[in-house]
């Protein structure tokens, strides 16, 4: 940092014509022409975003939840990875590099991938995560590619929401079966087993059990496509619990290609399979020994069953409950195509048996494992997808290579510090809290080695830096674990208000209840003051040494049934992910530390204006809001006292609509600012420099409003429809940082052009004030090779952005001469320092001045 020199930008001028544009910077003159009509109102259109884009910064040092992996038989170089919320990626070089190949629809959640055995160019993708955890992403149906993933078309079943498995007829690529889980938070919907015989143009539901039972698995007999097997799962989620298993779960067989089904888990058949209450069912067949089947049929008496006669009779071969300790999240079995005694179980660990399932040994790969693909032509080639990401074996699973070249991180919360360059930090699903630079002063970019895991374990949540000391980090790793960490000294101190969190016993077992994502806030007015939300609001005025509860239980009324052990009726799942009756959002008003907002998952919106002495629940003033709406986020304006934006999330009640409201008078009155948002929002933020500019993070990406919520526009900018869980605006650089739940962190560098866009569109040309630029001695460039993700740095120099009104473009395809714009950088006396050529694109453009002067003629 000592060798840096701050570069002063006096003024940048767009030399475009002989006359200045009225209402714009007088340095802007135009040769741009007078044929472009100025807009009467500041109405922003998608074309105005121009060259604006996201800078993906990763990291890719850990994996992410891969729900689906697939390959092409006999072609080890072709690999498909389906992420639970980060999209579909393909490799054609054996995993050395991957490219995003799925940009269709409105979801980036891939629950299933199936390559047609008879034609590898035909690929089916089922959207919507097939493992119904508390944060499972929604899908929008089945998609089909006929060119090996280059292009996709919607192929029906748009209301399935979650797809667990797709099986393609081994001889007819137009015939496929889909195991649809259906909605996880409500009954009904498109759930069960569906069949198509025309490539997805038409579908018929051929297996429906009841309103809460979905299809959990489906396979064809590779030797006889008239034979198919399917598993079902009777389940339902509620905000406070998860029921996994019921009378609807079972194992089925079809002998007419999936047109009709016979239930095998029927005790009346006396075939060795159990009946009654069953958990999630999974099934697998040995490709070259199709008489041999394995099925996970979890009951209180058994787990893994084998059939040696195509399902006519079954034998319980392993009854150990911990073989699949969380059936709703796993219940996956795979069998070797050549050796039917070689069987794999996917659970928290990958377990492998070589004696037909009688005994298993753990495999050193993955972690929380969801899919395993064995090449039917070469069983030594194995692909594994898990919460850790992607593993590959070329020796039948004896050894594994872990490939983490794609930024698949599922970020929960975004934090930043005030260092130079500044750092990003935040927690990720199953991957602790990570901290790393947004950019580096080098010529290479930010590689994985620049990121640090700064927590001890668990699903990371909040991470916030002390604004006075960038080395002091407060971090939260799910359900009440709070740590203060000094990055400079390595010291870490546990500072949670509750010393011990009960684990595995249900929410009622602890004195205080903390949500899976318990909210943490460093006061914007007093950096030594912390807020932490349980079912009461805690505050500390000495950076976490001592805590004081400044509220009663704000979650009341809280039904006692909401605090019981989660799960059942067979197994319970008390990971605290379903802990309910808690504070979920905290915000401090612009007026100071006396006025604080707190929102709960039970639907209370509480406000104190006297530092916690008294509280008022103002949710009753919110018009047309259903009762019990989860408060997902509160954004108190940083510039206007009494102004706040609140997002309510009802998708856990089966309602996927957006509920976003604003108030200007401390909650006495509210305005619905949901506008045209298509899905529920996780977070809304006000731009402190331009308060009419709002950003909303939703299930299908980021949206922006230039009129304080009346109208919203997608700010996808060519990126995927990835859920955005959180966002922050770094004040020193005015960067918009988003935390995507599937592709890590991403940044729009310096959103000044966005802030000025509404005014710019009323004219033809506008220039935006450039941000500070820093001159530094870059470290030598380093080539990391292809097998590592390296994020781009910010451009070196001063980024000068300008706006050009969209022009009518000729319909002819005749190649036109490339246009450029002349820009001059002037010093304080008006002398030209540097001449630059800029692009001529509709909307926002930018050019980078490298801080050098023009060479002499």
């Amino acid at each position: 940092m000592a060798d840096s020199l701050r570069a002063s930008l006096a003024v940048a001028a767009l030399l475009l014509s002989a006359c200045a544009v009225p209402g714009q910077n007088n340095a802007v003159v135009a040769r741009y022409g007078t044929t472009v009509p100025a807009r009467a109102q500041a109405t922003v259109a998608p074309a105005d975003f121009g060259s604006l884009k996201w800078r993906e910064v990763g990291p890719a040092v850990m994996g992410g939840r891969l729900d689906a992996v697939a390959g092409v038989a006999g072609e080890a170089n072709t690999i498909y990875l389906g992420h639970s919320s980060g999209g579909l990626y393909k490799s054609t070089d054996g995993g050395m590099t991957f490219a995003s190949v799925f940009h269709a629809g409105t979801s980036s959640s891939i629950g299933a991938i199936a390559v047609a055995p008879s034609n590898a160019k035909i690929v089916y993708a089922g959207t919507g995560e097939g493992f119904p955890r508390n944060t499972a992403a929604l899908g929008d149906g089945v998609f089909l590619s006929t060119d090996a993933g280059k292009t996709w078309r919607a192929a029906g079943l748009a209301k399935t929401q979650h797809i667990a498995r797709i099986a393609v007829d081994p001889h007819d690529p137009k015939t496929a079966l889909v195991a649809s889980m259906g909605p996880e938070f409500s009954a009904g919907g498109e759930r069960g087993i569906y069949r198509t015989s025309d490539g997805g143009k038409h579908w018929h539901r051929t297996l429906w059990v009841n309103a809460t039972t979905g299809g959990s698995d489906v396979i064809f007999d590779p030797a006889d496509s008239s034979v198919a097997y399917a598993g079902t799962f009777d389940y339902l989620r509620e905000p406070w619990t998860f029921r996994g298993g019921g009378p609807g779960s079972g194992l089925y067989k079809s002998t007419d290609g999936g047109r009709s089904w016979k239930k095998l888990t029927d005790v009346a058949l006396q075939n060795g399979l159990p009946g009654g209450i069953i958990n999630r069912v999974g099934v697998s067949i040995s490709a070259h020994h199709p008489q041999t089947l394995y099925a996970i049929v979890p009951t209180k008496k058994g787990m893994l069953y084998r059939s040696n006669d195509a399902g006519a009779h079954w034998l319980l071969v392993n009854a150990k409950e911990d073989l699949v300790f969380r059936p709703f999240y796993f219940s996956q079995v795979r069998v070797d195509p050549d050796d039917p005694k070689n069987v794999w179980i996917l659970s928290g660990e990958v377990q492998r048996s070589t004696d037909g399932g009688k005994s298993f040994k753990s495999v050193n790969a993955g972690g929380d494992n969801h899919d395993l693909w064995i090449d039917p032509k070469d069983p030594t080639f194995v692909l594994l997808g898990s919460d850790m990401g992607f593993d590959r074996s070329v020796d039948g699973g004896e050894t594994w290579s872990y490939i983490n070249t794609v930024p698949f991180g599922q970020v929960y919360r975004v934090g930043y510090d005030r260092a130079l360059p500044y750092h990003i930090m935040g927690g990720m699903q199953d991957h602790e809290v990570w901290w790393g630079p947004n950019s580096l002063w080098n010529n290479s970019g930010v590689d994985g080695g620049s990121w640090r895991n700064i927590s001890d374990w668990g699903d990371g949540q909040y991470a916030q830096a002390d604004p006075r000391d960038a080395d002091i980090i407060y971090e939260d790793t799910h359900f009440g674990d709070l740590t203060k960490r000094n990055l400079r000294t390595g010291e870490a101190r546990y500072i949670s208000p509750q010393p011990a969190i009960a684990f595995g016993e249900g929410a009622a077992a602890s004195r205080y209840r903390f949500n899976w994502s318990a909210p943490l806030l460093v006061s914007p007015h007093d950096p030594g003051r912390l807020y932490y939300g349980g079912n009461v609001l805690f505050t500390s005025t000495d950076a976490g040494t001592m805590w004081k509860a400044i509220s009663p239980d704000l979650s009341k009324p809280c039904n006692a049934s909401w605090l019981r052990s989660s799960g059942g009726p067979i197994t319970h799942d008390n990971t605290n992910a379903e802990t309910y009756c808690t504070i979920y959002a905290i915000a401090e008003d612009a007026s100071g530390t006396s006025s604080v907002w707190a929102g709960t998952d039970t639907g209370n919106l509480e406000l104190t204006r006297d530092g916690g002495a008294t509280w008022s629940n103002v949710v009753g003033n919110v018009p047309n809001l259903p009762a019990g709406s989860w408060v997902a986020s509160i954004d108190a304006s940083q510039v206007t006292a009494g102004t706040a934006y609140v997002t309510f999330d009802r998708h856990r009640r089966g309602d996927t609509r957006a509920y976003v409201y604003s108030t200007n008078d401390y909650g006495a009155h509210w305005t619905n600012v949901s506008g045209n948002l298509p899905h529920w929002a996780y977070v809304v933020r006000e731009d402190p420099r331009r308060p009419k500019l709002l950003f909303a993070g939703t299930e299908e990406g980021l949206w922006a409003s230039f009129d304080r919520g009346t109208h919203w526009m997608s700010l996808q900018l060519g990126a995927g429809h990835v859920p955005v869980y959180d966002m922050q605006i770094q004040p020193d650089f005015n960067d918009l940082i988003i935390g995507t739940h599937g592709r890590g962190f991403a940044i729009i560098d310096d959103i000044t052009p966005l802030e000025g866009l509404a005014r710019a569109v009323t004219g033809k040309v506008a220039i935006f004030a450039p941000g500070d630029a820093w001159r530094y001695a870059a470290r030598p460039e380093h080539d990391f090779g292809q097998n590592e993700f390296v994020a781009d740095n910010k451009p070196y120099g001063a980024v000068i952005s300008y706006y050009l009104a969209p022009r009518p473009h000729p319909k002819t395809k005749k190649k036109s001469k490339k246009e450029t714009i002349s820009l001059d950088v002037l010093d304080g006396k008006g002398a030209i320092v540097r001449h630059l050529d800029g692009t001529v694109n509709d909307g926002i453009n930018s050019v980078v001045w490298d801080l050098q002067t023009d060479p002499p003629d």
Side-chain angles (χ1 to χ4, degrees):
M1 304 285 180
D3 62 352
S4 65
L5 175 66
R6 195 170 190 173
S8 174
L9 291 180
V11 64
L14 271 174
L15 301 181
L16 300 174
S17 100
C19 60
V21 178
Q24 305 297 339
N25 191 320
N26 286 333
V28 180
V29 291
R31 205 171 31 213
Y32 188 59
T34 58
T35 60
V36 180
R39 292 184 223 178
Q41 296 181 352
T43 304
V44 178
D48 295 317
F49 295 145
S51 60
L52 205 66
K53 63 180 180 179
W54 291 99
R55 181 166 61 92
E56 289 191 355
V57 295
V61 290
M62 82 296 289
R65 196 158 70 249
L66 286 182
D67 277 356
V69 294
V72 176
E75 296 181 18
N77 282 337
T78 302
I79 300 170
Y80 293 92
L81 303 182
H83 192 272
S84 61
S85 56
L88 177 59
Y89 281 72
K90 181 182 179 181
S91 175
T92 57
D93 53 20
M96 184 67 69
T97 60
F98 284 91
S100 175
V101 295
F102 183 79
H103 302 94
T106 60
S107 173
S108 63
S109 177
I110 305 297
I113 311 167
V115 180
S118 61
N119 185 349
K121 289 185 177 181
I122 297 180
V123 185
Y124 289 79
T127 61
E129 183 172 2
F131 300 97
R133 59 172 288 118
N134 58 329
T135 56
L138 269 63
D140 54 355
V142 177
F143 290 81
L144 178 67
S145 174
T146 57
D147 53 13
K150 294 179 182 178
T151 60
W152 298 84
R153 68 167 175 85
L157 300 182
K159 298 180 180 180
T160 50
Q161 293 196 11
H162 301 278
I163 292 176
R165 196 93 178 266
I166 299 176
V168 183
D169 186 307
H171 309 297
D172 178 11
K174 290 185 177 181
T175 298
L177 300 173
V178 166
S180 167
M181 294 285 285
E184 63 174 323
F185 286 101
S186 61
E190 292 182 339
R191 65 175 75 229
I193 304 297
Y194 287 82
R195 185 180 189 274
T196 183
S197 58
D198 55 12
K201 295 178 182 178
H202 302 88
W203 292 91
H204 301 281
R205 182 160 58 183
T206 60
L207 177 58
W208 182 88
V209 182
N210 61 41
T212 57
T213 296
S216 57
D217 211 345
V218 65
I219 57 173
F220 275 107
D221 183 333
D224 182 359
S225 58
S226 67
V227 176
Y229 301 88
T232 60
F233 182 33
D234 193 341
Y235 77 104
L236 184 66
R237 266 199 182 277
E238 294 179 276
W240 53 85
T241 192
F242 176 74
R243 174 180 65 79
S249 298
L251 180 63
Y252 293 79
K253 180 178 181 178
S254 172
T255 56
D256 54 9
R259 294 177 178 86
S260 63
W261 299 88
K262 176 183 178 182
K263 187 175 183 179
L264 301 180
T265 46
D266 183 347
V267 292
L269 296 178
Q270 296 184 353
N271 59 4
L273 287 174
I277 304 299
I278 298 172
N279 218 314
R280 179 173 179 148
V281 172
V283 61
S284 184
I285 189 170
S286 179
H288 302 146
H289 301 270
Q291 296 294 308
T292 302
L293 296 162
Y294 289 86
I296 294 176
V297 187
T299 66
K300 292 184 177 181
K301 295 182 179 180
M303 182 63 68
L304 181 65
Y305 293 80
R306 185 179 73 233
S307 173
N308 296 319
D309 55 8
H313 301 87
W314 294 82
L315 176 68
L316 175 62
V317 292
N318 201 305
K320 292 183 179 179
E321 183 178 340
D322 60 357
L323 194 63
V324 181
F325 74 99
R326 302 177 77 194
F328 87 92
Y329 203 36
F330 306 117
S331 290
Q332 301 295 298
V333 57
R334 302 288 184 266
V335 57
D336 191 296
D338 286 344
D339 182 2
K341 289 187 177 181
N342 187 9
V343 59
W344 306 72
I345 295 291
L346 304 183
S347 186
E349 296 180 312
V350 180
Q351 299 188 71
R352 182 182 179 186
S353 172
T354 57
D355 57 9
K358 296 178 183 178
S359 62
F360 284 88
K361 291 184 178 180
S362 296
V363 173
N364 187 23
D368 282 1
N369 306 281
H370 299 297
D371 198 10
L372 185 117
W373 183 83
I374 306 171
D375 190 331
K377 292 185 177 179
D378 179 11
T380 63
F381 188 64
V382 185
L383 310 177
L384 173 66
S386 71
D387 280 13
M388 301 301 111
F390 172 55
D391 289 84
R392 179 192 60 184
S393 176
V394 294
D395 57 9
E398 295 298 323
T399 59
W400 296 83
S401 57
Y402 177 54
I403 300 173
N404 58 347
T405 58
V406 183
F408 275 147
Q410 293 180 301
V411 178
Y412 282 107
R413 305 294 176 182
V414 175
Y416 60 83
D417 63 22
R418 307 294 292 271
L420 181 70
Y422 70 87
H423 300 87
I424 305 171
M425 61 201 74
M428 301 191 187
Q429 195 275 325
D430 228 351
H431 288 288
E432 302 86 27
V433 175
W434 287 82
W435 172 97
N438 91 94
S439 183
L440 285 174
W441 286 354
N442 64 20
N443 293 324
S444 305
V446 182
D447 67 309
S450 301
W451 285 84
R452 291 171 59 183
N453 179 351
I454 61 170
S455 63
D456 298 321
W457 74 292
D459 290 52
Q461 300 292 333
Y462 286 81
Q464 297 188 19
D466 188 324
R468 303 163 301 182
D469 184 348
D471 286 318
I472 302 299
I473 309 294
Y474 303 96
E475 62 188 40
D476 170 24
T477 51
H478 66 220
F479 54 78
D481 279 331
L482 186 61
T483 301
K484 180 181 179 181
R485 192 173 300 272
N486 188 320
L487 300 181
R488 183 172 55 255
T489 65
E491 175 193 10
R493 186 159 59 89
Y494 187 75
I495 61 170
S496 176
Q498 182 161 269
I501 307 297
F503 188 81
E505 302 177 39
S510 299
R511 179 181 179 186
Y512 298 109
R513 297 182 298 277
F514 291 89
N515 195 276
W516 177 259
S517 186
L520 167 69
L521 176 66
V522 178
S523 168
H525 298 96
D526 176 10
R529 179 185 294 269
L530 305 180
Y531 299 95
Y532 197 47
N535 57 313
V536 304
L537 182 62
F538 294 95
T539 187
S540 172
T541 56
D542 55 10
T545 300
M546 300 292 293
W547 291 93
K548 177 184 178 182
I550 61 169
S551 80
D553 187 339
L554 297 181
S555 70
K556 290 183 176 180
C558 179
N559 193 310
S561 65
W562 297 344
L563 306 180
R564 294 173 184 167
S565 177
S566 174
I570 300 174
T571 60
H572 290 261
D573 196 67
N574 287 306
T575 61
N576 288 4
E578 284 76 40
T579 298
Y580 196 60
C581 294
T582 64
I583 296 171
Y584 194 75
I586 309 168
E588 193 176 74
D589 184 64
S591 61
T593 60
S594 294
S595 297
V596 181
W597 296 86
T600 72
D601 49 17
T602 55
N604 296 335
L605 181 56
E606 301 276 355
L607 173 67
T608 180
R609 300 189 63 185
D610 51 17
T614 59
W615 290 83
S616 300
N617 186 4
V618 300
V619 76
N621 300 332
V622 182
N624 303 316
L625 178 69
S629 299
W630 190 305
V631 180
S633 75
I634 305 172
D635 186 59
S637 173
Q638 298 179 37
V639 295
T640 307
T643 295
Y645 300 87
V646 180
T647 60
F648 298 91
D649 177 359
R650 292 188 54 79
H651 87 274
R652 296 176 184 85
R653 302 276 188 165
D655 182 356
T656 61
R657 291 173 293 179
Y659 294 90
V660 184
Y661 291 84
S662 68
T663 181
N664 297 318
D665 54 11
Y666 290 102
H669 301 87
W670 294 86
T671 301
N672 189 326
V673 294
S674 305
N676 56 312
L677 288 174
H679 287 292
W680 73 90
Y682 293 107
V683 60
V684 167
R685 299 272 185 234
E686 176 192 77
D687 186 333
R689 300 192 188 189
R690 188 75 59 183
K692 286 188 177 181
L693 176 58
L694 306 179
F695 300 100
T698 75
E699 174 68 8
E700 64 172 45
L702 190 75
W703 292 67
S705 173
F706 294 86
D707 53 14
R708 208 175 175 223
T710 303
H711 305 92
W712 292 89
M713 299 174 58
S714 172
L715 209 59
Q716 186 181 357
L717 304 178
H721 292 283
V722 188
V724 175
Y725 274 29
D726 197 14
M727 76 188 83
Q728 299 288 347
I729 299 175
Q730 209 283 347
D732 304 313
F733 292 84
N734 206 30
D735 290 353
L736 176 62
I737 312 166
I738 63 171
T740 74
H741 204 67
R743 292 190 185 176
F745 298 100
I747 298 174
I748 295 180
D749 294 314
D750 188 7
I751 58 173
T752 300
L754 274 177
E755 294 167 339
L757 197 54
R759 291 189 298 178
V761 298
T762 59
K764 290 177 284 188
V765 183
I767 190 168
F768 306 105
D772 291 337
W774 294 82
R775 193 170 68 188
Y776 55 84
R779 287 177 289 176
E781 184 171 354
H782 176 69
D783 185 3
F784 292 98
Q786 299 298 313
N787 202 20
E788 183 168 357
F789 173 79
V790 181
D792 291 334
N793 283 325
K794 289 176 179 285
Y796 174 80
V799 180
I800 303 169
S801 298
Y802 52 95
Y803 170 83
L804 302 178
R807 298 173 294 166
H809 293 283
K811 295 182 179 180
T812 177
K813 293 183 179 181
K814 182 179 178 181
K815 190 175 182 180
S816 59
K817 185 178 179 181
K818 184 177 181 181
E819 295 179 285
T820 60
I821 278 179
S822 176
L823 299 94
D824 286 339
V825 180
L826 313 179
D827 65 15
K829 297 180 180 180
I832 296 177
V833 174
R834 186 65 186 268
H835 171 79
L836 303 168
D837 289 326
T839 57
V840 182
N841 298 317
D842 292 349
I844 295 173
N845 293 257
S846 63
V847 64
V848 181
W849 171 38
D850 62 3
L851 308 183
Q852 303 296 315
T853 60
D854 280 332
D857 292 336

